[in-house]
């Protein structure tokens, strides 16, 4: 009887450590492309279906290697235990997509991070899924996946120290680092 109680307690402990996050789901919604005839498509726009109006305002020759677009944040934040890109970061992602599409030589690392909660392996996987979610969002915006690399640091490089929601929220992120 004692052994049965120990097995039941161990099973309950394992169930409590589980997560409801399905790391195989794709949280990025596809945007339907609008048809653009060949006469309105700009040469060198970087993607089929992207016209000149889609990349206006980007002056790639003004940027130096490693420099991000001016006046645009480089961090996408995530909710706890999630890798879904929040709608408020759509404009940020679009700005980076225009910047990258304006210069085919530009490369960017998408560095996924998590807060300190959870095991090392789980956080590395979650950080990777966050980086890949931002990568997919940039691909949907016309960026070539050959210009991007998604990497995970898990909980190893926190942006903020501490064990409270304020610090944890700053650590659940993907940083766009240009090279």
């Amino acid at each position: 009887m004692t052994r049965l109680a120990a097995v039941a307690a161990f099973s309950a402990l394992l169930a409590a450590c589980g997560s409801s996050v399905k790391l195989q789901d794709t949280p990025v919604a596809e945007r339907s492309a609008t048809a653009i005839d060949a006469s309105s498509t700009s040469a060198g726009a970087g993607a089929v279906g992207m016209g000149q109006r889609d990349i206006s305002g980007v002056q790639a020759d003004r940027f130096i290697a490693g420099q991000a677009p001016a006046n645009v944040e480089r961090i996408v934040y995530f909710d706890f235990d999630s890798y879904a890109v929040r709608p408020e970061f759509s404009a940020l992602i679009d700005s980076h997509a225009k910047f990258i599409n304006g210069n085919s030589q530009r490369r960017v690392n998408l560095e996924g991070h998590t807060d300190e909660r959870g095991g090392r392996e789980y956080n590395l996987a979650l950080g990777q899924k966050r980086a890949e979610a931002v990568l997919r969002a940039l691909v949907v915006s016309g960026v070539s996946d050959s210009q991007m690399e998604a990497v995970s640091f898990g909980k190893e490089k926190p942006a903020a120290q501490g064990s409270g929601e304020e610090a944890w929220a700053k650590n659940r992120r993907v940083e766009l680092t240009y090279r």
Side-chain angles (χ1 to χ4, degrees), residues 48-60:
V48 174
M50 292 203 49
Q52 179 63 36
R53 71 185 191 300
D54 294 328
I55 60 169
S56 63
V58 176
Q59 297 175 346

Side-chain angles (χ1 to χ4, degrees), residues 13-167:
L13 178 65
L14 285 177
C17 293
S19 172
S20 62
V21 172
K22 296 175 182 157
L23 293 179
Q24 302 306 321
D25 292 345
T26 304
V28 177
E30 290 290 328
R31 297 181 193 167
S32 61
T34 57
I36 298 176
D37 63 39
S39 64
S40 68
T41 304
S42 171
V48 174
M50 292 203 49
Q52 179 63 36
R53 71 185 191 300
D54 294 328
I55 60 169
S56 63
V58 176
Q59 297 175 346
D61 58 336
R62 290 185 13 189
F63 302 106
I64 58 173
Q67 186 178 13
N71 301 322
V72 178
E73 286 292 321
R74 296 182 309 110
I75 301 175
V76 176
Y77 292 100
F78 292 83
D79 292 329
F80 171 70
D81 213 20
S82 172
Y83 61 95
V85 176
R86 299 190 318 221
E88 67 252 32
F89 292 104
S90 294
L92 180 142
I93 289 172
D94 288 342
S95 294
H96 282 279
K98 288 177 185 177
F99 177 76
I100 297 167
N101 285 331
N103 184 347
S104 62
Q105 302 305 313
R106 183 69 59 201
R107 302 288 182 262
V108 64
N109 283 343
L110 306 168
E111 301 172 351
H113 299 271
T114 65
D115 61 35
E116 65 186 16
R117 298 173 287 181
R120 182 177 184 274
E121 292 82 12
Y122 176 78
N123 281 323
L124 282 171
L126 181 57
Q128 186 69 30
K129 291 295 182 180
R130 287 175 174 167
E132 290 172 358
V134 173
L135 183 143
R136 284 190 303 274
L138 286 164
V139 167
V140 167
S141 295
V143 178
S144 169
D145 59 354
S146 66
Q147 291 179 267
M148 301 178 285
E149 182 177 2
V151 297
S152 176
F153 290 102
K155 61 183 178 179
E156 305 303 320
K157 293 187 175 188
Q161 298 297 321
S163 292
E165 184 55 39
E166 187 176 331

